[in-house]
Amino acid sequence: MFQWYDRYNVGHAEIDTDHQYLFNLINEFHDALTGGLAAERIATTLESLVSYTRVHFSREENHMLKRGYDGYRGHKQLHDKLISDLEDLRRRFEAGDAMVGIELSTFLTDWLISHIMRTDIKLAAFLKS
């Protein structure tokens, strides 16, 4: 189980809410894997996670474009890379690679925390200015 801490808040309500929801989805996926749920339920949870990640990234990118954020290109590249990595991990999981499930949970949590603390915190500060 991965825990959300207040220190992960960046100070932008919409972004913080999205991040917390992503943590919840990661936990649902992890719980489905470790709880022995049917493969169909695990796949559905994974699809929700991938879909919401895309929604969240789109929201952030729209904020960046509307406000003329200088770091847009680099930030979007990080988003695109994660989506590519996530799609690759999903394909491996769907192909029956059982080990990828826990790898995926840990990867997403580590990536999200790192992205929040290094990249999104800068975006949120810009959006508040």
Side-chain angles (χ1 to χ4, degrees):
M1 186 82 156
F2 304 100
Q3 187 168 345
W4 176 266
Y5 296 100
D6 286 340
R7 68 179 176 263
Y8 301 151
N9 286 320
V10 297
H12 186 279
E14 183 180 51
I15 293 172
D16 287 334
T17 299
D18 278 357
H19 289 162
Q20 289 173 29
Y21 189 68
L22 284 167
F23 254 75
N24 288 338
L25 288 172
I26 292 167
N27 280 327
E28 283 181 31
F29 178 70
H30 182 79
D31 290 348
L33 281 172
T34 59
L37 296 181
E40 183 178 305
R41 173 72 175 133
I42 295 169
T44 300
T45 306
L46 179 55
E47 180 55 37
S48 295
L49 180 56
V50 172
S51 294
Y52 198 80
T53 300
R54 288 180 185 279
V55 167
H56 169 63
F57 286 172
S58 178
R59 263 198 272 263
E60 278 190 0
E61 291 163 11
N62 285 334
H63 282 300
M64 289 185 254
L65 289 171
K66 285 180 187 173
R67 294 286 308 274
Y69 184 56
D70 286 341
Y72 170 78
R73 184 177 298 204
H75 200 133
K76 179 154 179 28
Q77 287 174 341
L78 292 172
H79 287 173
D80 292 346
K81 173 76 168 111
L82 176 70
I83 292 296
S84 175
D85 290 347
L86 192 52
E87 291 292 350
D88 180 55
L89 288 166
R90 178 170 58 176
R91 279 189 291 279
R92 285 177 46 206
F93 179 78
E94 289 172 351
D97 184 346
M99 295 307 296
V100 78
I102 299 300
E103 179 186 343
L104 182 57
S105 294
T106 304
F107 166 76
L108 284 171
T109 304
D110 291 347
W111 188 93
L112 184 56
I113 292 168
S114 175
H115 187 72
I116 290 169
M117 302 307 288
R118 292 184 182 154
T119 308
D120 285 347
I121 196 108
K122 294 174 190 172
L123 170 61
F126 173 80
L127 293 174
K128 287 193 275 185
S129 63

